[in-house]
Amino acid sequence: MESVIGGGVVGVIAGCAILALAVAAYYAYKVNSLKLTVESVGGSEQTLARLREISGAISEGAMAFLAEEYKYVAMFVAAFAVIIGFALDNPETSAVNEGVYTALAFVIGAIISSVCAFMGMRIATIGNVRTSVAASRSITEAFRVAFQSGSVMGFGLTGLAVLGMLIVVLVFDGLLSAHGIEKHNIMELVAGFGLGGSTVALFGRVGGGIYTKAADVGADLVGKIEAGIPEDDPRNPAVIADNVGDNVGDIAGMGADLFGSCAEATCAALVIGATSAYLAQNMNALLYPLLISAVGIPVCLITALFARLKPDATQVEPTLRGQLIISTILMSIALYFVTKAVMTENFSIGGVEITPDKVLYSVLAGLWAGMVIGAVTEVYTSHGFKHVRRLAAASDKGPAINIIYGLSLGYESAVIPVIAVGITVYASWTMAGMYGIALSAIGMISTIATGLTIDAYGPVSDNAGGIAEMCHMGKEVRDRTDLLDAAGNTTAAIGKGFAIGSAVLTALALFAAFLTRAHFEALNMLTPIVFSGLFIGGVLPFLFTAQTMLAVGRAAEGMIHEVRRQFREIPGLLEGTGRPDYRACVAISTNSALKEMIAPAILVIFSPLVVGVVFGVEALAGVLAGSMISGLVMALSTSNSGGGWDNAKKYIEKNEGKGTDKHKAAVVGDMVGDPFKDTSGPSLNILMKLMAIISLVFVPFFQSAHSWLMSALGM
């Protein structure tokens, strides 16, 4: 085993990454091979034409938004790369322009993250309509198509992330070692890769979240509450924008988010690990963090073989939940052998003596903490448990009580995950110091291919139900897609829990790397500058949440006015004889998202830059610590409140029907929860990670700029 892995870690990593891309290509082929023909839709040419029209409109809107959004992303990346190049150039301390290399890694990370978003969006908009058609035959076939569509995103993104990271590390090491640059300095430059991925994730998560919830709130408020028409009714002008938004936020946004987590956690582990003389001289051992993600690929592929429904299945959720359990168990076994093969000697980092067993336990701590967070998230967001049912029952008393119960659910749901994260941090830090924290973050997302698969499965199933409704494919088809969607709602909530947990561990790993690069032997939290920073950092997630929720509110206002206008002015629209203007609503969501994401982006990007330059790295350390603590609690509570409201509404619809006062109260709660679970909650992941990675990358600039500023002010 040692000769196979220990002697060729680079080959194993590259081979696993290529395997992931091959699997993604295979699943993409399988989904694409399902042709839309008259025979596949029961011989109805009218249904076929309608399917192509609706799915084409969703695909066109989704790809058009991404293309428009990424124009702005490209301009920002180019400008920020120039800033990095100049800010980090210090010819007095380095034989090469470190800024240029960091900027190059930054651009590469941004490009790969963007490619992942487009890939996931493309396959999702192909898979949704094919899932609808498959549902006309059986729920088993529909599940297979939706799962394969999600697998393209899961394996494709993981393969690109691992392969891209490996190439950057090897190329930088080959080029810079010749100039006498030490290994830990090279890994600090590689950290730009994570910064690029996280920067794209900021725009994808925030912009996508604003887009989808503006459309969703507008469609629900005017369509379901005021006009009394069903969800996904083709008479609703906002329905196409709503379905587009599912892909924009939960496919492109989630993918970019987890790509960032994978890249950033790996960068943090490499930066910290390279400070060890043993790891710096042993490339196989140094690349261990990347090997973890690589080995997760075949583990997740084996796990996917168990994703099968029985022909008469009525419960999809246990199958998807089983994917997480199986992948975690298999990954635990694989990690034992991989760690024993690669980590063959004891070493020390920051005065902490680390053994191979301690390395293994640190990774396992993060892996199983993810399972705990996922399980708790399911308990609080699935209507199979008491919390959501209690929330549904509270809707009898009106929207106000529903909202109160929903907020309470979210706050309570944060307790156990935060404790789990705290235990993980304590255990991994005790065993392997700062390096252990970075490894626990990687452990939590080591099965990212499975996590992303079941997460992307959700929007595909949701869209399939909407398409079935808009194309009048019948109650039986809609019932089947609703079964798929109900499971997707829970797995999406679990996926958000994983993403939040991994985000805070990733941010903490980056924080540890930041302290390492800033040469802090210890950080005294009771000094005035650090303690003040804690308060400032603690309030930033609240300000960020306020900005994103206001953004959704303002964007939804425009959507509400447009839907009301069309209902009022287009003859016969509500009667079904008029044709809504879907493009107008898509344009409103697109323009609003692009405009409203600017303020939150400025807050996240410039907060660490301003604090680092004006107040120094000690104050910045306090800000980062404060933002992680409050950001974790805020992200978990808002995300789970939103998930609880959504599934409480669906529970009432399933058991008591639609249109009652109780159902209307639940719909109001769901609309309140929309920006919680799909905009503010998930976007807080980016705040924690991006602030930390900016701080890590710009450490030398902060130190020199702050010193110059203090001298200029005579202080």
Side-chain angles (χ1 to χ4, degrees):
M1 184 72 177
E2 183 175 348
S3 61
V4 175
I5 296 182
V9 167
V10 171
V12 173
I13 295 172
C16 290
I18 293 171
L19 172 65
L21 296 177
V23 170
Y26 171 75
Y27 282 130
Y29 167 77
K30 294 288 288 184
V31 174
N32 266 304
S33 66
L34 301 173
K35 304 301 181 184
L36 300 179
T37 63
V38 174
E39 291 75 20
S40 67
V41 294
S44 172
E45 292 188 3
Q46 182 179 4
T47 300
L48 178 62
R50 186 68 173 157
L51 278 168
R52 287 176 171 169
E53 178 188 5
I54 294 298
S55 63
I58 294 172
S59 178
E60 178 186 343
M63 300 309 291
F65 172 75
L66 268 195
E68 190 66 25
E69 181 183 41
Y70 279 74
K71 287 180 184 177
Y72 293 94
V73 172
M75 289 187 287
F76 177 83
V77 167
F80 204 51
V82 172
I83 293 173
I84 292 171
F86 282 104
L88 299 183
D89 178 23
N90 192 347
E92 295 181 1
T93 60
S94 178
V96 298
N97 186 336
E98 295 184 350
V100 169
Y101 283 93
T102 306
L104 178 60
F106 168 75
V107 172
I108 294 172
I111 291 173
I112 295 178
S113 182
S114 302
V115 169
C116 291
F118 275 96
M119 173 189 64
M121 184 75 83
R122 181 61 179 162
I123 193 63
T125 55
I126 292 173
N128 55 13
V129 64
R130 285 161 174 79
T131 301
S132 299
V133 173
S136 66
R137 294 189 286 270
S138 72
I139 188 172
T140 304
E141 188 172 344
F143 173 81
R144 183 172 64 250
V145 176
F147 190 86
Q148 289 175 344
S149 300
S151 296
V152 176
M153 182 65 166
F155 286 95
L157 181 144
T158 307
L160 287 172
V162 171
L163 190 60
M165 190 76 185
L166 177 65
I167 291 173
V168 170
V169 170
L170 294 180
V171 171
F172 277 33
D173 184 58
L175 293 175
L176 297 174
S177 294
H179 292 280
I181 307 298
E182 295 183 3
K183 197 76 74 178
H184 69 89
N185 294 127
I186 296 173
M187 295 304 115
E188 289 168 356
L189 306 184
V190 169
F193 184 88
L195 176 58
S198 197
T199 300
V200 171
L202 170 67
F203 293 101
R205 263 301 194 192
V206 177
I210 294 170
Y211 184 109
T212 181
K213 292 305 110 181
D216 202 355
V217 171
D220 284 354
L221 181 61
V222 184
K224 292 166 69 174
I225 297 293
E226 296 180 1
I229 61 178
E231 188 172 5
D232 295 319
D233 193 294
R235 293 171 292 177
N236 193 326
V239 73
I240 294 294
D242 186 8
N243 280 274
V244 169
D246 290 334
N247 296 298
V248 168
D250 289 336
I251 297 289
M254 171 65 84
D257 183 0
L258 287 178
F259 175 89
S261 290
C262 181
E264 290 160 335
T266 305
C267 287
L270 291 173
V271 169
I272 298 170
T275 61
S276 162
Y278 166 68
L279 296 182
Q281 296 170 8
N282 185 339
M283 181 60 81
N284 287 330
L286 180 64
L287 290 177
Y288 173 75
L290 197 53
L291 181 62
I292 294 173
S293 299
V295 170
I297 292 168
V299 166
C300 292
L301 180 57
I302 295 171
T303 302
L305 300 177
F306 295 91
R308 298 178 181 274
L309 290 184
K310 296 179 180 179
D312 58 345
T314 57
Q315 293 293 321
V316 181
E317 195 173 307
T319 301
L320 295 175
R321 185 192 309 119
Q323 289 286 289
L324 296 174
I325 297 171
I326 293 169
S327 63
T328 300
I329 293 173
L330 292 179
M331 192 65 194
S332 299
I333 298 170
L335 283 170
Y336 172 82
F337 292 103
V338 169
T339 306
K340 292 297 183 182
V342 176
M343 293 292 182
T344 57
E345 297 182 26
N346 299 349
F347 58 96
S348 65
I349 295 179
V352 178
E353 292 297 323
I354 303 173
T355 66
D357 285 342
K358 290 180 179 180
V359 168
L360 174 62
Y361 298 150
S362 296
V363 182
L364 290 177
L367 176 64
W368 284 94
M371 272 299 300
V372 171
I373 293 173
V376 172
T377 302
E378 182 180 10
V379 167
Y380 279 92
T381 59
S382 171
H383 53 59
F385 297 90
K386 66 177 183 179
H387 301 284
V388 170
R389 295 187 178 189
R390 184 173 62 191
L391 176 57
S395 302
D396 266 337
K397 303 172 182 64
I401 304 302
N402 173 281
I403 292 169
I404 291 170
Y405 272 62
L407 289 172
S408 172
L409 179 152
Y411 295 145
E412 184 181 330
S413 72
V415 176
I416 296 177
V418 170
I419 292 174
V421 170
I423 292 173
T424 302
V425 170
Y426 178 81
S428 58
W429 199 326
T430 300
M431 288 183 289
M434 294 180 178
Y435 189 60
I437 291 176
L439 292 179
S440 68
I442 296 172
M444 186 172 287
I445 56 174
S446 59
T447 55
I448 185 175
T450 294
L452 260 177
T453 294
I454 65 173
D455 206 299
Y457 154 93
V460 172
S461 300
D462 192 2
N463 268 201
I467 291 171
E469 180 76 28
M470 287 183 276
C471 296
H472 307 293
M473 296 181 71
K475 184 178 185 300
E476 185 181 20
V477 175
R478 184 62 203 250
D479 287 344
R480 289 169 178 168
T481 58
D482 281 349
L483 279 174
L484 298 178
D485 184 30
N489 281 332
T490 300
T491 56
I494 293 172
K496 289 183 177 69
F498 268 109
I500 293 167
S502 67
V504 74
L505 284 179
T506 299
L508 190 55
L510 293 167
F511 179 64
F514 161 77
L515 296 178
T516 300
R517 192 175 190 188
H519 304 294
F520 279 109
E521 293 185 3
L523 183 67
N524 187 352
M525 305 297 274
L526 295 180
T527 58
I529 193 68
V530 176
F531 203 71
S532 298
L534 286 172
F535 283 101
I536 296 171
V539 81
L540 286 179
F542 289 85
L543 177 57
F544 182 81
T545 299
Q547 287 181 328
T548 52
M549 294 191 73
L550 282 172
V552 171
R554 286 191 292 262
E557 284 179 12
M559 187 67 69
I560 290 168
H561 291 315
E562 175 60 22
V563 176
R564 284 174 177 167
R565 182 195 69 78
Q566 292 195 35
F567 281 157
R568 185 175 61 248
E569 298 180 6
I570 297 179
L573 180 55
L574 284 172
E575 290 74 23
T577 57
R579 181 176 176 80
D581 183 1
Y582 297 127
R583 289 179 179 269
C585 293
V586 170
I588 287 173
S589 270
T590 299
N591 296 331
S592 297
L594 294 175
K595 181 178 70 174
E596 296 290 351
M597 70 182 183
I598 294 174
I602 290 174
L603 175 68
V604 175
I605 293 171
F606 285 96
S607 291
L609 294 175
V610 171
V611 173
V613 171
V614 177
F615 300 104
V617 290
E618 275 192 286
L620 183 55
V623 169
L624 294 177
S627 66
M628 281 187 285
I629 294 170
S630 65
L632 172 61
V633 178
M634 176 71 81
L636 287 168
S637 63
T638 53
S639 181
N640 290 341
S641 283
W645 275 314
D646 189 6
N647 277 333
K649 178 199 69 174
K650 286 182 167 57
Y651 180 74
I652 293 171
E653 290 174 347
K654 177 183 177 182
N655 293 280
E656 302 177 31
K658 304 176 182 180
T660 64
D661 288 341
K662 182 178 182 179
H663 177 248
K664 289 180 180 179
V667 170
V668 172
D670 181 37
M671 286 189 291
V672 172
D674 276 337
F676 275 55
K677 69 182 177 69
D678 288 328
T679 309
S680 299
S683 295
L684 283 166
N685 298 351
I686 312 300
L687 177 139
M688 292 185 284
K689 294 185 298 184
L690 187 53
M691 287 180 59
I693 189 72
I694 288 174
S695 301
L696 168 61
V697 169
F698 280 90
V699 163
F701 172 71
F702 292 150
Q703 291 173 327
S704 59
H706 180 68
S707 177
W708 176 86
L709 181 62
M710 293 298 99
S711 297
L713 295 175
M715 300 176 65

